Amino acid sequence: MPDDGSLAAERLARIAGCSAGRPGVTRLPWTPEHRAALQEIEAWMRDAGLEVALDAAGTLRGRSPAAAATPRLLLGSHQDSVRRGGAYDGIMGIALGCLAAARFRDRWDALPFGLEVLAFADEEGVRFPTALIGPRALAGTLDPAVLMMRDADGVEMGAAMRDFGVETSGLASLADWDAPPVGYLEAHIEQGPVLERAGQPLGIVTAICGIARYAVTVAGETGHAGTVPMRGRRDALVGAARMIDAVAREAVEAGEIRATVGTLTLGPGAVNAIPDRVAFTLEVRAPRDAARDAFVARMKERFASLAQAEGLGVTMERTYAQAATACDPGLMAALATGAGGDAPHLPSGATHDASAMADLCPVAMLFLPCRGGVSHRPDEYAAPEDMGAAVDALEGAIRALAARTPR
């Protein structure tokens, strides 16, 4: 078999140079760095024998010659990065998808479906306050109003896309498919430590966690730090600290929950004044919406109980919600077959293009370990041998799906 792991490493090292600066990779959508990256990706697609076109959402699409007349199996991920990010997040899935497709080059007729590799423009949502433009357009869930959003320099996204050469007038038609896609497969670094700790080269994703975010405000009473006795104080920070501790303890006991208090502010903010107001954010993620909602309900009750015990007030307002995405059992089974049958199953705590593609077709994801569980940093790294195993698994999954798909 070809050493596709080493070839993937070479390609990713080269495309990492399509960056606005160092350290790491900074590649935002509709920029010169994006354009340079597309030139690299187009070469990967053409090497795989794919026909290449840029669609009305800025997704670079490499399609097997037979794909226009048959249902398609889709593979891909995103080309963009966070600022000073790594060389593997997102872009690796495109590279591995192209290498898997290349194994069927000149043998497209052997498949009962076409193959299409997708290089999405914007998953991270760093430049504009929105994300997942490409997959949402394909699924017919894109709100056209997002084209009016502006970046920090006041540039409107629609204008940036058109200046880039994207014909946004065709956005609505992207959801018109000749036949429903067979499914969507995405290979991605885990962005966590589970696979590396287990010594496993691959993992099968069971679900992409749903997310709920809340703004929590704790109200107490301020006073002089030196004259108000400790007993009987209504210290909002003490109450908030106990709530935050309860979040961590409850999440550990729940097992599948990821709960994070990411920001905290307090007032009046003086060294010699008792805090009378604390505001903090609570983000809860879980692979099952029911488990997440049950955890949130328990925390609301716990917060209320702790506040009452301290003579405090507490409010909890939801600011964001995203449903969990379950991966398709059939596609998961195909990936497991391709991976040799013993790959561990695990949820994804991070959101991916697959979460939006699930509104179009069945989805599944293949995880690769990343050194130290590190991601979104310049030292992000995936081993060539693991990438080679991933290409093998994708090829095996395609063959498994072909064997069960009627012509």
Side-chain angles (χ1 to χ4, degrees), residues 46-364:
R46 295 198 183 282
D47 178 70
L50 303 173
E51 299 172 349
V52 184
L54 188 70
D55 77 11
T59 302
L60 191 67
R61 304 169 67 168
R63 184 182 302 177
S64 63
T70 63
R72 306 172 210 169
L73 177 64
L74 312 175
L75 302 91
S77 193
H78 60 97
Q79 68 80 35
D80 63 320
S81 76
V82 297
R83 290 187 173 89
R84 296 187 177 183
Y88 298 83
D89 177 10
I91 191 66
M92 183 192 70
I94 303 170
L96 300 187
C98 288
L99 290 168
R103 296 195 176 180
F104 298 90
R105 182 177 43 211
D106 302 325
R107 293 185 292 125
W108 304 119
D109 291 343
L111 296 175
F113 44 71
L115 294 181
E116 185 167 356
V117 180
L118 306 171
F120 296 118
D122 182 10
E123 187 262 3
E124 299 291 359
V126 173
R127 181 179 177 188
F128 296 94
T130 187
L132 300 169
I133 302 300
R136 285 176 176 162
L138 294 179
T141 60
L142 180 66
D143 181 357
V146 301
L147 299 186
M148 304 295 289
M149 292 181 174
R150 296 180 181 273
D151 66 10
D153 296 321
V155 177
E156 189 179 88
M157 186 168 69
M161 294 171 70
R162 289 186 290 273
D163 288 346
F164 193 80
V166 175
E167 296 292 340
T168 57
S169 59
L171 271 172
S173 65
L174 291 180
D176 297 332
W177 292 81
D178 296 333
V182 174
Y184 171 76
L185 302 177
E186 182 172 357
H188 205 283
I189 55 171
E190 179 196 345
Q191 300 181 282
V194 175
L195 292 176
E196 184 182 55
R197 289 175 180 173
Q200 294 286 346
L202 301 172
I204 311 298
V205 177
T206 57
I208 299 171
C209 285
I211 305 171
R213 293 175 181 151
Y214 295 85
V216 183
T217 303
V218 183
E221 184 178 15
T222 190
H224 195 292
T227 61
V228 179
M230 295 301 295
R231 192 177 300 276
R233 285 188 178 190
R234 297 174 57 219
D235 188 325
L237 183 55
V238 170
R242 289 178 176 159
M243 294 174 194
I244 294 168
D245 180 65
V247 166
R249 292 177 183 273
E250 290 272 351
V252 169
E253 300 233 344
E256 63 182 333
I257 297 293
R258 302 291 184 268
T260 304
V261 173
T263 68
L264 184 146
T265 59
L266 68 149
V271 68
N272 58 351
I274 300 166
D276 64 354
R277 182 183 180 278
V278 173
F280 63 89
T281 57
L282 172 62
E283 183 191 83
V284 183
R285 302 189 184 214
R288 297 184 301 117
D289 291 334
R292 184 196 68 206
D293 294 344
F295 177 84
V296 170
R298 290 198 303 274
M299 295 320 303
K300 284 183 177 179
E301 292 180 0
R302 188 78 172 118
F303 288 179
S305 175
L306 290 168
Q308 184 177 26
E310 298 291 332
L312 304 170
V314 62
T315 61
M316 186 171 171
E317 178 184 0
R318 191 170 74 178
T319 59
Y320 177 82
Q322 175 180 312
T325 300
C327 289
D328 178 73
L331 294 182
M332 289 171 58
L335 284 174
T337 297
D342 58 354
H345 289 56
L346 69 166
S348 172
T351 299
H352 300 283
D353 292 295
S355 64
M357 289 295 285
D359 290 320
L360 169 66
C361 62
V363 302

